[in-house]
Amino acid sequence: MLELRKGDDILSTVGGITSITEAQAILKDKLDAENFSKISKITNTEALIKIANAINMCAPDHVFINTGTPEDQQWIRDYSLSQEEEAPLTKAGHTIHFDLPQDQARLVNQTYYIINEGEEMSSLAKSLLRPEALTYIKEYMPNVMQGKTMIVGFYSRGPVGAAAALPAIEISSSGYVLHSAEILYRNCFAAFDAEAARTGLFFTNVHAEGDNTSADVPNARILMDRSWGTTFSTFCTYAGNTLLLKKGNHRFSVDYATYYKLEEQLSEHMFITGMTGPGDRITFFAGAAPSGCGKTTTAMVGSHFIGDDLAQIWLAEDGTMRAINPEKGIFGIVEDVNQEGDPNLMDCLRGDGTEVIWSNVLVNDGVPYWAGNGEETPQSGVNFQGEWFPGKTDAEGNPAPISHKNSRCTLLASAIKNHATDLAEDPAGVPVKVVTYSGRDADTMPPVWVAKNSNEGVVIGASIVSRATATEVGATGVRRQPWANAPFIPGALADYMKAQFAFYNSAKFSDNNAPIMAGLNYFLTHENRGSNEAGILGEKKDVRVWLGWLELFAHGDVEAIDTPIGYLPKYGDLKILFAGIDKEYPRELYDMQFALYIDNILGRIQLQKDAYSKEPGIPQTLFDVYNQQEKDLLSLKEQFGAIALPQMLAA
């Protein structure tokens, strides 16, 4: 069990401020008249003490309070440009930001949870005991903002007033970080006191980039104090390491849902999108996928796009599963974003009228270019490695790409044509009818399958595997990615799993309102399915078919094939859906995609059983599901051999 406010509050210990009287004195001394007038509108005592401690610890020359007004937002943009954290591009409202070559993604080996002695942690998490973290912060954070301006912003992780929305404070000496925050999160300066009172807590994030040199990056740390809901980030600028409103506070939200909102809430690494079905009905999906596994592409396919990365979920009084996007913007990977696969996003990136922060792409004459954009590559430019030209190699002699694989675009979600802005900003959330889990799987699972019940659905999420992607510095190889949320689960995996079983089996779901739960896999290859061709068995636009079939199945409009791993679609229904996207769908392709390669599936189950058997306290339900599937698969193998075609199972 996680105990909040346990142990010394490190921010208070280093900052030295313990009372509101001391805090007010610091604020009055360090803020000019205009900014002191702004902060005087905040009355939450704890928030004022935390801000005063950050000032006392970091010792900035100036403090700017961001109230979210157009004037304050423009000040932040101008400040980022003046500090050369961003540079203007040719298109109005577009800027470029370059991270250091060593700071292009999440620094997984330098990211730690601050914990108390005896706390149970996820086996996939790195942690520091509180005294060790205090030692680091005492060494590196005092006076770290000398010569700089500290910017303080107040945000809501979700529409203000939503049941699962939580407020947070972002404190940074980086204009780029606060510029990003204004695009990605809802400024709630005016509502902060009320929201902090409603929820009973808020998160605090303190970031200082230091001198922003390559020599500093080895000393960079991203430290997350679970008990006090406070993050500390140093000597880095990549938004995934510095804008801790995002994945840092997501981790705290996972803790809060797991330990304090059991059966009521979930905090998930999921997209939210709505698909239009027969009779113009809208069916909402929430789906988890590790980075690089098609999550943004899947979200964008929806007719009513809500979000592409995170979801705050709760069980509403009407017995429906509701979801909000804690963000209002997109921090999206741009590699392979092109007109054919992502037309709505491309309209924003290449059209006019949208504010975009680009990071780590190639810039030629003020225009950004990136790998996989479907356009002609210029013959020169500047990217994250400096001057670029065709044939350039890096220090190891490898070809230098035109853009980093984790290069990003940051923009308002509402700028995208299919974004359902009114629904996304509704504190009531959207009712989710389908939950999906995806990985990067070349040889085992079919493109889509549906769990027979909620327990099997939870197990699909627990069984995700994926290859490490460019979003994580230092990560390699094929990895288990439970619920695509594993990097962001602080506590014991057993506790998180229990919370999943409790939520999806809740008796509070009203009739027919519990979501169906499904697996998706876009990465089966010809080579692994007996084909003489090469590459993936499909293309981006096929996602519309897989989601379209799930939409129909969720409403009972199509039947399915019953198999040991769940329900599979019938060929005739998919053929009709493929015709709707003007694509032929031969029976041979269906057979390759949906045949059960039984030995591969059995091997996958054994891999998961071996891994989870090493985790203390894992619910027996997980092993019961795996054992039943093994038994049924072995029976199927005895009947049909090692490869069972869909028509065999449907007979």
Side-chain angles (χ1 to χ4, degrees), residues 42-61:
I42 299 295
T43 61
N44 185 284
T45 299
E46 185 179 359
L48 294 173
I49 291 174
K50 285 183 178 292
I51 293 166
N53 273 309
I55 294 170
N56 225 28
M57 176 175 69
C58 299
D61 285 9

Side-chain angles (χ1 to χ4, degrees), residues 589-601:
L589 178 55
Y590 170 79
D591 286 344
M592 281 194 289
Q593 289 179 320
F594 288 94
L596 298 186
Y597 279 57
I598 295 173
D599 289 337
N600 289 0
I601 300 173

Side-chain angles (χ1 to χ4, degrees), residues 65 78 103 114 144 166 193 232 279 284 312 363 402 457 499 540 556 585 587 629:
I65 304 299
D78 293 342
D103 181 29
I114 300 172
V144 72
L166 292 168
D193 287 327
F232 304 89
F284 282 97
Q312 293 293 117
V363 176
I402 68 167
K540 270 190 176 183
Y585 188 58
R587 180 70 191 227
Q629 289 181 342

Side-chain angles (χ1 to χ4, degrees), residues 207-375:
H207 162 251
E209 76 275 24
D211 293 331
N212 195 32
T213 66
S214 294
D216 284 335
V217 176
N219 290 324
R221 293 293 183 273
I222 298 91
L223 305 179
M224 295 162 292
D225 191 336
R226 300 175 69 207
S227 292
W228 290 90
T230 304
T231 67
F232 304 89
S233 171
T234 53
F235 308 126
C236 49
T237 65
Y238 170 67
N241 296 320
T242 59
L243 183 58
L244 274 307
L245 276 162
K246 195 170 177 66
K247 295 297 169 61
N249 290 174
H250 174 60
R251 290 167 163 99
F252 294 157
S253 295
V254 170
D255 263 345
Y256 186 59
T258 300
Y259 295 105
Y260 288 89
K261 293 291 181 178
L262 187 67
E263 198 180 327
E264 299 176 26
Q265 294 185 15
L266 296 174
S267 184
E268 299 297 296
H269 190 210
M270 286 181 166
F271 68 79
I272 309 169
T273 201
M275 295 290 293
T276 300
D280 291 330
R281 72 183 174 216
I282 308 300
T283 302
F284 282 97
F285 290 60
S291 295
C293 293
K295 189 163 66 163
T296 297
T297 295
T298 307
M300 296 292 183
V301 162
S303 55
H304 291 67
F305 164 58
I306 301 291
D308 75 325
D309 194 30
L310 301 175
Q312 293 293 117
I313 292 167
W314 73 98
L315 188 47
E317 291 184 4
D318 64 358
T320 60
M321 173 176 159
R322 295 267 164 174
I324 55 169
N325 180 5
E327 303 179 298
K328 69 181 178 77
I330 292 171
F331 178 60
I333 295 173
V334 294
E335 183 172 68
D336 293 332
V337 169
N338 53 58
Q339 192 65 44
E340 180 181 1
D342 308 276
N344 291 326
L345 182 54
M346 283 294 288
D347 287 347
C348 294
L349 301 183
R350 286 304 191 214
D352 296 319
T354 302
E355 182 179 14
V356 181
I357 305 175
W358 297 86
S359 65
N360 307 320
V361 295
L362 178 72
V363 176
N364 171 270
D365 289 336
V367 178
Y369 295 88
W370 61 96
N373 64 8
E375 302 168 348

Side-chain angles (χ1 to χ4, degrees), residues 594-614:
F594 288 94
L596 298 186
Y597 279 57
I598 295 173
D599 289 337
N600 289 0
I601 300 173
L602 289 170
R604 179 69 52 77
I605 290 173
Q606 191 59 51
L607 176 149
Q608 298 287 357
K609 287 173 67 175
D610 289 346
Y612 280 117
S613 66
K614 297 180 178 68

Side-chain angles (χ1 to χ4, degrees), residues 55-128:
I55 294 170
N56 225 28
M57 176 175 69
C58 299
D61 285 9
H62 307 284
V63 180
F64 181 82
I65 304 299
N66 172 28
T67 65
T69 63
E71 294 78 13
D72 284 358
Q73 291 177 335
Q74 189 59 52
W75 186 95
I76 289 168
R77 294 187 194 99
D78 293 342
Y79 180 76
S80 186
L81 291 170
S82 72
Q83 299 299 301
E84 299 183 344
E85 295 188 79
E86 298 175 58
L89 297 175
T90 299
K91 197 172 288 293
H94 287 219
T95 57
I96 178 67
H97 166 81
F98 288 118
D99 295 297
L100 294 168
Q102 302 84 1
D103 181 29
Q104 296 282 319
R106 281 189 285 115
L107 297 169
V108 293
N109 293 325
Q110 293 162 260
T111 299
Y112 297 86
Y113 296 104
I114 300 172
I115 65 169
N116 299 304
E117 190 78 47
E119 285 180 0
E120 292 186 3
M121 297 292 296
S122 165
S123 63
L124 305 177
K126 295 170 70 69
S127 60
L128 282 179

Side-chain angles (χ1 to χ4, degrees), residues 513-577:
N513 275 320
I516 68 164
M517 304 173 75
L520 293 170
N521 176 30
Y522 309 146
F523 298 97
L524 281 179
T525 64
H526 284 274
E527 297 92 328
N528 286 299
R529 290 283 160 153
S531 169
N532 293 324
E533 299 181 37
I536 291 173
L537 280 170
E539 54 186 331
K540 270 190 176 183
K541 66 180 182 179
D542 297 354
V543 174
R544 191 177 302 277
V545 170
W546 312 135
L547 297 192
W549 182 81
L550 286 171
E551 196 280 336
L552 295 172
F553 183 84
H555 292 278
D557 293 343
V558 292
E559 296 179 344
I561 301 169
D562 190 344
T563 81
I565 64 167
Y567 300 117
L568 300 183
K570 294 184 175 181
Y571 172 68
D573 296 323
L574 293 182
K575 186 175 176 65
I576 292 170
L577 289 168

Side-chain angles (χ1 to χ4, degrees), residues 173-197:
S173 53
S174 166
Y176 163 68
V177 167
L178 267 294
H179 185 190
S180 300
E182 283 298 305
I183 294 174
L184 290 171
Y185 291 92
R186 298 161 180 88
N187 191 300
C188 74
F189 177 84
F192 180 82
D193 287 327
E195 283 296 278

